[in-house]
Amino acid sequence: MRTVRYASYGDPDVLRIEEVPTPAPGPNQVLIRTEAIGVNFVETQRRRGQGPFPPALPASPNGDVVGTVEALGPEVTTVQVGDRVAATVMDNAYADQVVADATFLVPLPEKLDAAQASVLASPAQVALCVLRVGKLAPGETILVHSASGTIGHLTTQLAKILGAGKVLGTASTPAKREFALRYDTDVAIDYGSDEWADRVLEETGGRGADVIIDGVGGDTFLRGLDALAPWGRLVFYGAAQGMPSVPAMRLLGMKYVVGSAFYEWWRHEPDALRKGLNELIGYVADGRLRVAVHATLPLTEAAQAHRMIEDRAHTGRLLLVP
Ligand SMILES: NC(=O)c1ccc[n+]([C@@H]2O[C@H](COP(=O)([O-])OP(=O)(O)OC[C@H]3O[C@@H](n4cnc5c(N)ncnc54)[C@H](OP(=O)(O)O)[C@@H]3O)[C@@H](O)[C@H]2O)c1
């Protein structure tokens, strides 16, 4: 079978297709024949040896795999051979067959397509987690940064499902802002402009947003403190523009900064995650949570998928298919 690996950190071209033997699932693992693989931004950082978790080399990307269970390891009782599932795969995810931890498997209703299924593995769960951490209450105003991204376009829609009043979304280009408006952003703002925080204040009668969802970090995070209402919650969950530090002085206006990481939810709140997953399956199945697919590329073009993400060229989900 084929898998994508890299032996050194660097540009997307370090990603190489390799022929390897089909792996055997160990205890509490399953072997999955892949149908599609969701490609995530964080893998571009890991591939460059950057970000919070640079992998040991040689390495392989993680991903949101959709496929059919082909074999069960010892102790697996929750799925059967032949079941269609989605899974967060932590090793060799861009491959014809993958081994997944049975704990992370998402059983799929029949009607979901590969893109819908792929976001259930992690991005939709991450989006729900950040909204829960932000304690979004019905009627509140929320600002979602990078609203046209994979997690971004799911977050704007989920915010509306959870009862948000006004949903503001930022994006870097007119086309991305237009896209965000189609996915439940009420007002799309150019955060490349120095005045974006003023624009948020204008849209909120001078008060600021009650919740800000920030997967971008860097200067955007710092500027976000100016756009946050008193008692507002700024949720930090990613650092596409660099890792910010929290200036405590700026919190004196009764502002909260709080973080959310999917793996911490798994460690500390597994029951809440499972409950949330069931909600998400319902939202996707009944069409309330829509998934935009920017491109579906063959496995052999994994480097191109990474390039698109690094060029900030995509809106919504990017998929690889074997
Ligand atoms: N905490 C967690 O549990 C968790 C889990 C998974 C992912 N994450 C993080 O969530 C964030 C979003 O992930 P995603 O998979 O949805 O990514 P994505 O689809 O690639 O979206 C990322 C967005 O970030 C914006 N961006 C700003 N600066 C960028 C830069 N220098 N390079 C690339 N993009 C940049 C882009 O939008 P514009 O062009 O409009 O700026 C892009 O749409 C990432 O920071 C990721 O690491 C966190």
Side-chain angles (χ1 to χ4, degrees):
M1 64 155 226
R2 299 166 306 163
T3 192
V4 174
R5 288 181 174 159
Y6 48 105
S8 57
Y9 301 132
D11 289 336
D13 295 331
V14 298
L15 296 177
R16 300 282 158 147
I17 289 262
E18 293 179 19
E19 278 294 333
V20 296
T22 299
N28 199 39
Q29 292 181 328
V30 300
L31 179 70
I32 300 171
R33 166 76 56 181
T34 57
E35 172 187 331
I37 305 129
V39 180
N40 294 323
F41 170 85
V42 71
E43 294 312 313
T44 66
Q45 290 185 318
R46 282 168 34 89
R47 197 206 65 238
R48 288 193 179 277
Q50 298 167 348
F53 313 110
L57 295 171
S60 61
N62 305 336
D64 297 319
V65 168
V66 180
T68 304
V69 175
E70 279 197 331
L72 307 179
E75 299 160 23
V76 177
T77 54
T78 48
V79 288
Q80 310 281 329
V81 169
D83 285 356
R84 186 167 178 258
V85 293
T88 299
V89 172
M90 303 307 284
D91 196 22
N92 286 298
Y94 302 179
D96 292 312
Q97 289 157 293
V98 301
V99 166
D101 189 325
T103 317
F104 297 108
L105 294 182
V106 180
L108 295 173
E110 265 178 26
K111 282 188 293 188
L112 299 194
D113 65 27
Q116 292 173 309
S118 79
V119 301
L120 291 170
S122 77
Q125 296 198 63
V126 172
L128 189 58
C129 287
V130 295
L131 291 168
R132 296 273 196 247
V133 165
K135 296 189 186 301
L136 176 71
E140 285 191 322
T141 298
I142 184 169
L143 169 67
V144 178
H145 283 309
S146 57
S148 72
T150 311
I151 296 170
H153 87 299
L154 301 171
T155 307
T156 51
Q157 296 175 78
L158 281 171
K160 269 282 152 76
I161 292 170
L162 296 181
K166 199 175 206 176
V167 176
L168 310 176
T170 58
S172 63
T173 68
K176 286 185 171 188
R177 293 193 286 281
E178 175 60 34
F179 171 92
L181 293 172
R182 295 201 302 274
Y183 288 87
D184 289 351
T185 293
D186 296 312
V187 179
I189 297 172
D190 175 9
Y191 65 169
S193 136
D194 285 343
E195 285 83 43
W196 71 259
D198 299 328
R199 183 76 202 287
V200 174
L201 294 175
E202 270 168 38
E203 290 290 341
T204 55
R207 192 168 173 276
D210 300 300
V211 179
I212 299 180
I213 304 294
D214 185 347
V216 168
D219 288 344
T220 300
F221 173 91
L222 293 176
R223 200 77 178 97
L225 291 170
D226 298 329
L228 192 63
W231 309 113
R233 288 82 67 198
L234 195 168
V235 183
F236 170 71
Y237 76 103
Q241 289 178 358
M243 194 59 76
S245 49
V246 180
M249 191 68 195
R250 305 264 303 276
L251 305 182
L252 297 182
M254 294 97 77
K255 300 183 182 191
Y256 294 91
V257 172
V258 57
S260 179
F262 194 36
Y263 59 88
E264 295 291 353
W265 278 82
W266 268 113
R267 276 181 58 200
H268 302 296
E269 298 286 348
D271 293 341
L273 264 191
R274 285 195 187 89
K275 191 163 168 275
L277 179 59
N278 286 333
E279 273 177 56
L280 291 167
I281 291 172
Y283 298 148
V284 173
D286 71 16
R288 276 195 284 170
L289 183 59
R290 293 167 293 138
V291 181
V293 179
H294 182 80
T296 301
L297 301 174
L299 195 57
T300 47
E301 289 186 30
Q304 176 60 9
H306 275 215
R307 242 176 254 119
M308 282 176 164
I309 290 175
E310 290 187 339
D311 292 347
R312 297 164 77 167
H314 73 296
T315 48
R317 174 105 268 197
L318 267 172
L319 289 172
L320 295 174
V321 288

